[in-house]
């Protein structure tokens, strides 16, 4: 650090600015002070400082705005933020916009000087850093790769420079958080990973990201589960049910038709056998022809048709008459006649009379005892199952085709039925997709309120209505809560700021006086006066805060009926004395007494606050006027002035605690006076109306 190093101080609190200036000049620095953001920005170009000490809350242009403007125009002058704003987000915000250091008030003068020396050493020791094909110019704050400049934010640049200077070291997250981010506030545990990953992927492309040596490779196995839509599940279920019914009905019909066809064969054979047996029994069914017995032609014509054949046997089983020529080999297969003779009762069974294998005939045998006492005989009537079985096969083929076609039609019908049944569900789904968390006013369509889907949609609509109401109430509550929390945070920050500022001034002047100020005949009385002034200022601030606190706690008033014009006149007299003739304070008394119920001291304090503001913001030679009157069943006190006025956008906020029209510290006030006046008026069920 060389003698005459230029330092620019931009601080709206003149006491603190003077304190820092005096100490720096005592150490050999050349110091220039500015007290608002606009003149501070102009001074950077004119004074060309090697270090800027910058407050945040500045009139005209705040500190962060000045800093952003400097960096946007390419200025790389080191900037130290010196402010009472000690919240972590204020630090992050300032550092991310290009600040090189951040020190909160109240501060130790030794620490401030150490940080100043560190910043100046950093400037004097700027260098060119090279890592691979990256080139970092710490003087110009630029990063290049292969002649291409890479744009980085202030935080990204600091991280890259620190890693470049420690390229051969293994850096832990804790080290980076401590050295790049400040360790006096907590940052999210993944902030280092986010910044490093962003640098690798977006800011410094071209290199493949190496695998982390301590991070195992992970294999992600995606399991897919087959999900069948309800429409197809209903279709499949209905098709299976209908198909099962068709198959059962088909089998029942098949067996019924088969049994009917086979029974018709058996019934035909039985009826013909009994008819021939009756004829033979009475001696009419047989006649002799060419020396042997044959069946009567009329009987044959009446009995033998549609494939039925007749065989008449004697008691030994010999064939004595037949309507069909039977192969001799098949005689031994017929045991039905024997059963009938032995049992002396009709018998039936199946016999294969055909020459080739596979043919089956139904045979019904009836024993006959001729009425004339002739030898016993057996009449057999038979019919082949072949035609019936062919009909059964034809019917089964037709049934199979019919069942198959019916099953296919049932699948299509089931699909259409399921689709028609689920159309209301699809409409509900489409409507539900249009309902978002930002708009719960939409409702589901209800086509048929009486069915299950309509009942479900009606229930969901009722639930949506309740949710909409609950969300509306919740949003209103959250807005109120957020507004309350914001006011509390702002109040805490402003109160902290206002208390830190005089404490910083008192502590700093005391420290300088202790070190060297008492030996300086010019600085010693200045320091003592500053300590006294700041003590009085802090005393007034604490008293105002106590007044507001008592008002918030609901202090009990003791209003009495009094003359409001007397209180107004007292406040006017006090204001005239305080103004010292700078501003004319006029009082327009009413024609008579203006009586109202109020507590005298608080109302006088409120009027004094209003008059104090009117005088403070009225140029010399201006005028403030107080008028007391009544009308429409109300009494009023009017305070008007010829001052600078209040911008329209600031009117709704001027009664907020610590609010200042210029956004920074107003001379002689902390922004609590109008808040106290508003609190007093509210406690008296009155209101303050402002026009500008």
């Amino acid at each position: 650090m060389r003698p005459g190093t230029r330092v620019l101080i931009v601080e709206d609190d003149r006491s603190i600015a003077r304190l820092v200036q005096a100490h720096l000049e005592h150490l050999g620095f050349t110091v220039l002070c500015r007290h608002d953001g606009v003149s501070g920005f102009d001074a950077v170009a004119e004074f060309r400082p090697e270090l800027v000490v910058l407050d945040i809350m500045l009139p005209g242009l705040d500190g962060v705005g000045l800093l952003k403007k400097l960096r946007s125009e390419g200025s790389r002058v080191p900037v130290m933020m010196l402010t009472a704003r000690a919240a972590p987000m204020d630090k992050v915000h300032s550092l991310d916009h290009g600040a090189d250091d951040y020190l909160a008030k109240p501060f130790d003068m030794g620490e401030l000087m150490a940080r100043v020396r560190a910043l100046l050493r950093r400037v004097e020791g700027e260098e060119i850093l090279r890592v691979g094909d990256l080139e970092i110019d710490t003087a110009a704050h630029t990063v290049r790769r292969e002649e291409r400049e890479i744009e980085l934010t202030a935080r990204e640049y600091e991280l890259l420079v620190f890693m470049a200077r420690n390229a051969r070291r293994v850096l832990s997250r804790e080290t980076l958080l401590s050295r790049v981010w400040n360790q006096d506030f907590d940052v999210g545990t993944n902030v280092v990973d986010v910044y490093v990953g962003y640098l690798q992927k977006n800011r410094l492309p071209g290199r493949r990201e190496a695998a982390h040596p301590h991070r195992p490779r992970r294999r992600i196995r995606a399991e897919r589960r087959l999900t069948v839509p309800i429409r197809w599940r209903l279709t499949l279920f209905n098709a299976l049910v209908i198909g099962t019914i068709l198959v059962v009905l088909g089998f029942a019909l098949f067996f019924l038709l088969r049994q009917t066809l086979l029974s018709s064969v058996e019934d035909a054979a039985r009826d013909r056998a009994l008819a021939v047996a009756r004829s033979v029994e009475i001696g009419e069914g047989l006649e002799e022809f060419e020396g042997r017995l044959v069946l009567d032609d009329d009987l044959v014509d009446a009995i033998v048709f549609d494939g039925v054949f007749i065989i008449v046997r004697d008691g030994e089983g010999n064939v004595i008459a037949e309507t069909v020529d039977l192969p001799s080999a098949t005689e031994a297969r017929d045991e039905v006649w024997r059963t009938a003779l032995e049992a002396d009762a009709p018998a039936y069974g199946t016999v294969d009379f055909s020459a080739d294998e596979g043919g089956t005939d139904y045979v019904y045998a009836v024993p006959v005892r001729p009425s004339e006492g002739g030898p016993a005989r057996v009449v057999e009537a038979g019919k082949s199952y072949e035609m019936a079985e062919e009909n059964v096969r034809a019917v089964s083929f037709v049934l199979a085709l019919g069942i198959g076609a019916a099953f296919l039609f049932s699948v299509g019908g089931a699909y259409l039925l399921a689709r028609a049944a689920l159309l209301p569900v699809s409409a509900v789904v489409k409507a539900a997709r249009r309902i978002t968390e930002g708009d719960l006013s939409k409702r589901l369509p209800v086509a048929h309120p009486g069915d299950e889907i309509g009942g479900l949609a009606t229930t969901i609509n009722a639930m949506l209505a309740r949710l909409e109401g609950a969300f509306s109430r919740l949003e209103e509550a959250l807005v109120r809560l957020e507004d309350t929390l914001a006011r509390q945070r702002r109040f805490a920050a402003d109160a902290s700021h206002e208390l830190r500022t005089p404490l910083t001034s008192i502590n700093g002047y005391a420290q300088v006086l202790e070190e060297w100020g008492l030996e300086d005949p010019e600085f010693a009385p200045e320091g003592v006066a500053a300590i006294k002034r700041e003590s009085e200022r802090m005393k007034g601030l604490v008293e105002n805060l106590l007044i507001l606190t008592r008002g918030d706690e609901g202090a009990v008033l003791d209003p009495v009926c009094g003359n409001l014009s007397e209180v107004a006149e007292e406040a006017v007299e006090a204001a005239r004395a305080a103004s010292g003739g700078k501003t004319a304070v006029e009082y327009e008394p009413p024609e008579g007494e203006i009586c109202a119920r109020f507590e005298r001291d608080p109302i006088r304090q409120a009027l004094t606050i209003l008059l104090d503001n009117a005088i403070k913001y009225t140029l010399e030679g201006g005028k403030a006027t107080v008028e007391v009157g009544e009308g429409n069943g109300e009494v009023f006190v009017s305070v008007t002035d010829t001052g600078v006025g209040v911008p329209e956008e600031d009117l709704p906020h001027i009664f907020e605690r610590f609010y200042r029209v210029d956004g920074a510290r107003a001379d002689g006030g902390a922004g609590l006076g109008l808040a106290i006046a508003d609190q007093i008026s509210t406690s008296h069920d009155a209101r303050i109306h402002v026009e500008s």
Side-chain angles (χ1 to χ4, degrees):
M1 183 186 69
R2 66 184 184 279
T5 300
R6 298 181 303 279
V7 177
L8 173 63
I9 301 174
V10 187
E11 166 67 61
D12 66 326
D13 189 285
R14 296 176 183 271
S15 177
I16 293 179
R18 174 59 186 146
L19 169 66
V20 177
Q21 178 185 14
H23 196 65
L24 288 173
E25 288 177 344
H26 179 74
L27 296 176
F29 290 86
T30 300
V31 183
L32 177 66
C33 289
R34 290 291 182 265
H35 305 294
D36 63 85
V38 176
S39 63
F41 178 77
D42 295 335
V44 173
E46 298 169 0
F47 186 57
R48 300 184 64 187
E50 296 168 77
L51 175 66
V52 176
V53 179
L54 181 62
D55 190 12
I56 289 181
M57 297 183 67
L58 295 171
L61 177 66
D62 66 20
V64 176
L66 190 155
L67 179 62
K68 292 167 63 177
K69 196 172 180 181
L70 285 177
R71 297 303 185 227
S72 65
E73 295 191 1
S75 175
R76 296 298 177 182
V77 60
V79 176
M80 176 193 295
M81 307 304 292
L82 186 65
T83 176
R85 304 288 290 270
M89 287 309 300
D90 291 321
K91 298 180 180 182
V92 173
H93 190 59
S94 298
L95 293 171
D96 278 345
H97 283 89
D100 298 278
D101 201 355
Y102 196 104
L103 183 60
K105 302 173 185 177
F107 55 85
D108 181 81
M109 191 62 72
E111 181 183 2
L112 173 62
M113 293 301 109
R115 289 176 179 259
V116 168
R117 291 191 295 270
L119 282 177
L120 293 174
R121 282 198 305 271
R122 187 185 305 173
V123 174
E124 294 170 358
E126 289 171 341
E127 56 185 334
I128 301 295
L129 299 176
R130 290 183 175 85
V131 180
D133 57 352
L134 281 179
E135 181 179 290
I136 306 172
D137 187 343
T138 59
H141 283 224
T142 58
V143 179
R144 293 181 177 275
R145 165 177 280 173
E146 298 176 353
E147 303 301 326
R148 183 175 61 87
E149 184 171 345
I150 300 172
E151 294 183 1
L152 300 177
T153 65
R155 181 69 69 199
E156 292 168 348
Y157 175 80
E158 291 179 13
L159 177 61
L160 185 61
V161 169
F162 184 78
M163 296 178 69
R165 285 177 173 158
N166 299 272
R168 297 185 180 276
R169 291 178 54 195
V170 177
L171 301 174
S172 65
R173 291 186 181 87
E174 291 75 14
T175 301
L176 292 173
L177 285 172
S178 174
R179 300 298 298 275
V180 179
W181 290 262
N182 289 327
Q183 61 181 357
D184 58 342
F185 63 91
D186 184 21
V187 183
T189 56
N190 68 334
V191 66
V192 175
D193 303 77
V194 172
Y195 268 85
V196 172
Y198 189 73
L199 279 174
Q200 288 176 330
K201 294 179 181 178
N202 300 293
R203 300 298 194 188
L204 306 174
R207 291 177 178 267
R208 292 184 60 187
E209 184 178 358
H212 196 288
H214 304 296
R215 187 178 298 158
R217 296 180 180 271
R218 295 180 296 174
R219 295 182 179 179
I220 301 175
R221 181 178 65 183
E223 296 183 1
R224 299 185 63 184
R225 299 178 62 183
L226 180 62
T227 303
V228 181
I230 295 179
R231 179 180 300 176
W232 285 108
R233 278 184 278 173
L234 286 175
T235 300
L236 182 61
F237 176 77
N238 291 334
L240 288 176
V241 171
I242 295 173
T244 301
I245 294 174
L246 288 175
V247 169
V248 171
L249 289 177
F251 273 104
L253 183 59
F254 169 78
F255 285 111
L256 179 62
L257 290 175
R258 182 176 181 276
Q259 186 62 33
T260 301
L261 291 173
L262 295 181
S263 296
S264 66
V265 172
E266 295 167 0
D267 292 343
R270 183 183 64 251
D271 293 342
R272 310 294 171 79
L274 292 174
V276 172
R278 286 193 295 270
S279 298
V280 171
E281 189 174 10
I282 61 178
E284 295 180 354
L286 295 174
E287 61 183 15
E288 189 172 347
F289 179 72
E290 295 181 357
R292 65 187 184 90
L293 292 174
V294 295
L295 290 170
D296 183 52
D297 290 338
D298 295 334
L299 181 62
V300 170
D301 293 338
I303 297 301
V304 179
F305 61 91
D306 64 7
V308 176
F309 59 87
I310 302 297
I311 301 174
V312 181
R313 300 178 184 272
D314 58 15
E316 300 298 328
N318 297 317
V319 177
I320 57 178
E322 59 184 355
T323 60
V324 60
D325 294 332
L326 298 175
S328 58
T330 62
E331 288 295 326
R333 303 175 188 171
D334 186 4
E335 296 293 334
V336 179
W337 64 270
R338 193 184 307 279
T339 302
L341 283 177
E342 292 175 354
D344 195 24
Y348 58 89
T350 57
V351 179
D352 185 8
F353 284 115
S354 61
D356 53 345
E357 296 293 334
T360 302
D361 302 293
Y362 178 81
V363 175
Y364 192 90
V366 180
V368 177
R369 296 292 181 176
S371 56
E372 298 178 356
R377 292 184 175 86
V378 177
V379 176
E380 290 179 304
K383 187 175 182 180
S384 175
Y385 280 125
E386 184 176 359
M387 183 62 68
E389 290 177 350
E390 287 182 0
N391 292 335
V392 169
R393 286 193 293 270
V395 169
S396 64
F397 178 73
V398 172
L399 281 177
L401 287 179
I403 291 174
F407 181 75
L408 292 178
F409 280 113
S410 69
V411 170
Y415 177 80
L416 295 177
L417 180 63
R419 180 181 178 184
L422 293 177
L423 278 178
V425 178
S426 299
V428 168
V429 170
K430 290 179 180 178
R433 286 174 177 169
R434 292 193 295 267
I435 300 175
T436 61
E437 61 181 9
D439 183 11
L440 294 176
S441 61
K442 294 183 174 64
R443 294 294 181 265
L444 303 180
V446 183
H448 304 287
D451 61 14
E452 289 80 358
I453 303 298
L456 175 62
T458 302
T459 303
I460 293 176
N461 285 339
M463 181 185 68
L464 287 173
R466 292 193 298 271
L467 285 175
E468 183 181 10
F471 268 99
S472 298
R473 293 189 295 272
L474 179 60
E475 286 179 356
E476 293 174 359
L478 288 176
V479 169
R480 291 194 299 269
L481 177 61
E482 182 62 29
D483 183 64
T484 302
L485 291 176
R487 290 174 180 270
Q488 290 179 351
R489 287 193 296 266
R490 187 167 61 250
F491 176 79
D494 290 337
S496 173
H497 181 275
E498 293 300 327
L499 289 171
R500 284 170 182 268
T501 300
L503 283 174
T504 300
S505 183
I506 293 171
N507 180 68
Y509 274 104
Q511 191 174 358
V512 171
L513 286 172
E514 182 182 13
E515 292 180 3
W516 57 269
L518 291 176
E519 301 173 359
D520 189 330
E522 294 183 2
F523 185 79
E526 179 184 343
V528 172
I531 290 175
K532 182 180 179 181
R533 182 178 62 253
E534 294 301 325
S535 299
E536 292 293 332
R537 174 181 168 187
M538 190 163 63
K539 175 185 175 183
L541 176 63
V542 172
E543 288 177 350
N544 286 336
L545 287 174
L546 289 175
I547 292 172
L548 287 170
T549 302
R550 286 193 294 268
D552 290 338
E553 291 176 352
V556 179
L557 297 176
D558 185 20
V560 295
C561 187
N563 186 0
L564 186 60
S565 60
E566 291 181 359
V567 179
E569 188 173 359
E570 291 175 3
V572 168
E573 292 298 330
R576 283 174 182 165
S579 68
K582 170 181 171 289
T583 302
V585 181
E586 298 181 357
Y587 175 60
E588 297 180 0
E591 295 180 356
E593 291 187 354
I594 303 296
C595 295
R597 290 185 61 81
F598 60 90
E599 190 169 337
R600 189 180 189 89
D601 290 341
I603 291 297
R604 178 177 175 177
Q605 182 183 12
L607 292 176
T608 300
I609 291 171
L610 296 176
L611 281 168
D612 179 64
N613 274 270
I615 294 170
K616 185 183 300 181
Y617 294 103
T618 299
L619 300 177
E620 187 172 354
K623 182 176 67 172
T625 304
V626 177
E627 180 186 358
V628 180
E630 60 182 339
N632 299 324
E634 296 179 337
V635 297
F636 66 89
V637 178
S638 170
V639 179
T640 59
D641 61 69
T642 58
V644 295
V646 181
E648 184 178 355
E649 62 271 14
D650 292 311
L651 285 176
H653 307 289
I654 60 174
F655 294 105
E656 296 178 6
R657 298 172 185 185
F658 294 106
Y659 186 83
R660 300 176 184 86
V661 172
D662 60 1
R665 189 177 298 101
D667 291 340
L672 293 177
L674 290 179
I676 294 174
D678 183 61
Q679 186 182 77
I680 292 172
S681 66
T682 302
S683 66
H684 284 79
D685 294 328
R687 65 183 185 278
I688 300 179
H689 177 68
V690 182
E691 293 181 358
S692 179

